[in-house]
Amino acid sequence: DGATYWMKTSSFTLGAQATLFVAVQCLDASGSQIYRRLLEHNYAATYYLGTDASGLKYKLIVNNNTSPFGAANGGTLTLGPNVIVMGTYLSPTGTIYVNGVPVASDSFTAPTNNSLPLYIMSQLGGGANMWKGYMAEAIVYNRALSAAEITQVHRYLGGRYGVSVP
């Protein structure tokens, strides 16, 4: 229902490269989704994919506890239709995509390898800052995908969830 359900995986390692995909549907595009999590390995030590401080855009954070902390904000939350949101990081650049189109990028300092659980639709610790909507699928790679692989995954998800992608 986008209000009370979330998941936590067992610990796994994400480090200096990662690619995170989600197929989601937003139930609240009013701006009240401030820092709502789609996927969080640990926003203060590795990766975060969710919404920004305005609650109106998607955000990718790559963090290694040492300044500067990169943050790419882009794409606008839209009520209703399925959306594919992806964040990828290959040092020093993190890029966020919406429906297969890059919408923002930033320079980040690579995180160190961290073996942590992944929180899905909730913040670290569980049960707070939850995504207001539905998530059909999440895919996480512990490496940066090539452009051809990114296109392939976008087309797979687009075909599966009725999202038009390039």
Side-chain angles (χ1 to χ4, degrees):
D1 64 1
T4 56
Y5 299 106
W6 57 276
M7 292 175 53
K8 173 186 167 188
T9 69
S10 57
S11 293
F12 65 94
T13 301
L14 287 177
Q17 300 183 37
T19 304
L20 314 167
F21 284 93
V22 292
V24 295
Q25 184 181 75
C26 178
L27 295 179
D28 182 355
S30 69
S32 68
Q33 292 213 66
I34 298 170
Y35 292 116
R36 299 295 174 154
R37 273 57 171 181
L38 293 167
L39 301 174
E40 181 177 350
H41 200 237
N42 183 337
Y43 78 92
T46 59
Y47 295 92
Y48 163 97
L49 184 63
T51 62
D52 69 358
S54 75
L56 300 172
K57 296 187 180 294
Y58 295 102
K59 181 176 193 122
L60 171 68
I61 298 173
V62 178
N63 194 330
N64 73 347
N65 287 326
T66 304
S67 186
F69 309 120
N73 300 332
T76 301
L77 270 70
T78 54
L79 190 61
N82 294 334
V83 176
I84 301 166
V85 182
M86 184 198 89
T88 189
Y89 177 72
L90 178 59
S91 183
T93 304
T95 304
I96 191 164
Y97 292 71
V98 176
N99 294 337
V101 177
V103 295
S105 63
D106 196 4
S107 292
F108 301 81
T109 303
T112 57
N113 289 339
N114 285 290
S115 183
L116 302 164
L118 180 72
Y119 287 83
I120 301 169
M121 293 180 59
S122 179
Q123 79 174 36
L124 181 69
N129 291 322
M130 296 170 62
W131 170 252
K132 292 181 180 178
Y134 300 105
M135 181 180 294
E137 191 162 347
I139 303 170
V140 177
Y141 294 90
N142 63 354
R143 64 183 179 86
L145 298 185
S146 70
E149 290 171 320
I150 288 170
T151 298
Q152 185 178 19
V153 176
H154 273 112
R155 288 183 179 163
Y156 157 76
L157 291 171
R160 187 160 183 176
Y161 300 107
V163 176
S164 179
V165 297

